[in-house]
Amino acid sequence: MTTTLITGANKGIGYETARRLVAAGHTVYVGARDAERGRRAAEQLGARFVLLDVTDDATVDAAAKTVEADGGLDVLINNAGIETRAEGNAVPTAETVTADQMRNTFETNVFGVVRVLHAFLPLLQRSAAPVVVNVSSGLASLAHLSDPDHPAHFYPGIAYPTSKTAVNMLTVQYAKAFPALRINSVEPGFTKTDLNGNTGIQTVEEGAEIIVRMAQIGPDGPTGGFFDVNGPLPW
């Protein structure tokens, strides 16, 4: 049976991804920094809960030990992420963004991914078909945001897209370093979740589709790529 860990899985796209993978037969760990919410989500899903705050070394290391003791890991989904918003759900722009806002966003979205990968790579390397899915964003595409004719061009924020572009680079570099693993970035689409103040236009079911799909690729699947539901995306 395939064992999967999803960070930030107690709500939103992470929760829906967990639901879908449980239904597909995976043993799923719901990683969450809030123990009460995480346990409740796991119970509702028929999954396992593991306390995991991607910004905290101690909880990440403890989670890795728990998963290892239970038998190991085949699929890691780095889903936990934040988008800094100001008063009125406004996105900090180039004019207003601060270094502290950038640092806070990177702590979860970038350093969190590295922290979790560092802790769980030894387990993944023991799997017969290890997979890593890094939840990125279409806003990470330099090609799209620099194209005046692309819908993403309008987005004025700095911290969130910069952090997700960094996640894409992590995907490329880790995929090169670990060719036996299938490591990819995915773009769920503009989904209605707490991350964006529920301003998205997609459902969580639609947003989870590409994550679920890439979590189930085999050893002959792609690696080091950036995908949405329609296929590869430009960097």
Side-chain angles (χ1 to χ4, degrees), residues 81-103:
I82 62 171
E83 180 185 16
T84 301
R85 294 273 173 145
E87 187 176 349
N89 202 40
V91 176
T93 64
E95 183 179 8
T96 64
V97 70
T98 66
D100 283 343
Q101 288 171 333
M102 292 289 292
R103 187 177 298 109

Side-chain angles (χ1 to χ4, degrees), residues 85-122:
R85 294 273 173 145
E87 187 176 349
N89 202 40
V91 176
T93 64
E95 183 179 8
T96 64
V97 70
T98 66
D100 283 343
Q101 288 171 333
M102 292 289 292
R103 187 177 298 109
N104 183 54
T105 303
F106 267 64
E107 187 61 54
T108 295
N109 295 3
V110 182
F111 307 149
V113 171
V114 174
R115 184 175 286 111
V116 172
L117 277 168
H118 181 75
F120 284 92
L121 272 168

Side-chain angles (χ1 to χ4, degrees), residues 52-234:
L52 197 161
D53 179 346
V54 302
T55 68
D56 179 71
D57 286 318
T59 67
V60 173
D61 291 342
K65 288 182 173 64
T66 295
V67 174
E68 181 179 25
D70 286 346
L73 187 67
D74 302 296
V75 179
L76 170 63
I77 301 175
N78 285 309
N79 169 73
I82 62 171
E83 180 185 16
T84 301
R85 294 273 173 145
E87 187 176 349
N89 202 40
V91 176
T93 64
E95 183 179 8
T96 64
V97 70
T98 66
D100 283 343
Q101 288 171 333
M102 292 289 292
R103 187 177 298 109
N104 183 54
T105 303
F106 267 64
E107 187 61 54
T108 295
N109 295 3
V110 182
F111 307 149
V113 171
V114 174
R115 184 175 286 111
V116 172
L117 277 168
H118 181 75
F120 284 92
L121 272 168
L123 277 65
L124 289 165
Q125 288 177 293
R126 298 174 202 160
S127 170
V131 171
V132 176
V133 180
N134 293 326
V135 178
S136 182
S137 168
L139 297 175
S141 171
L142 297 173
H144 284 170
L145 264 71
S146 61
D147 178 2
D149 295 324
H150 193 277
H153 184 264
F154 83 95
Y155 184 83
I158 302 295
Y160 183 74
T162 304
S163 73
K164 292 300 188 178
T165 301
V167 168
N168 283 356
M169 181 58 78
L170 293 178
T171 294
V172 169
Q173 296 298 81
Y174 275 98
K176 289 193 299 183
F178 300 98
L181 278 67
R182 304 294 90 185
I183 306 176
N184 294 287
S185 285
V186 298
E187 142 68 328
F190 190 30
T191 303
K192 185 177 181 180
T193 66
D194 289 347
L195 180 137
N196 54 45
N198 292 295
T199 57
I201 58 174
Q202 289 188 159
T203 64
V204 290
E205 291 80 8
E206 291 171 315
E209 176 62 33
I210 186 60
I211 306 173
V212 172
R213 184 188 306 173
M214 297 305 289
Q216 298 182 90
I217 61 173
D220 59 345
T223 192
F226 182 26
F227 302 90
D228 69 3
V229 289
N230 297 312
L233 292 173

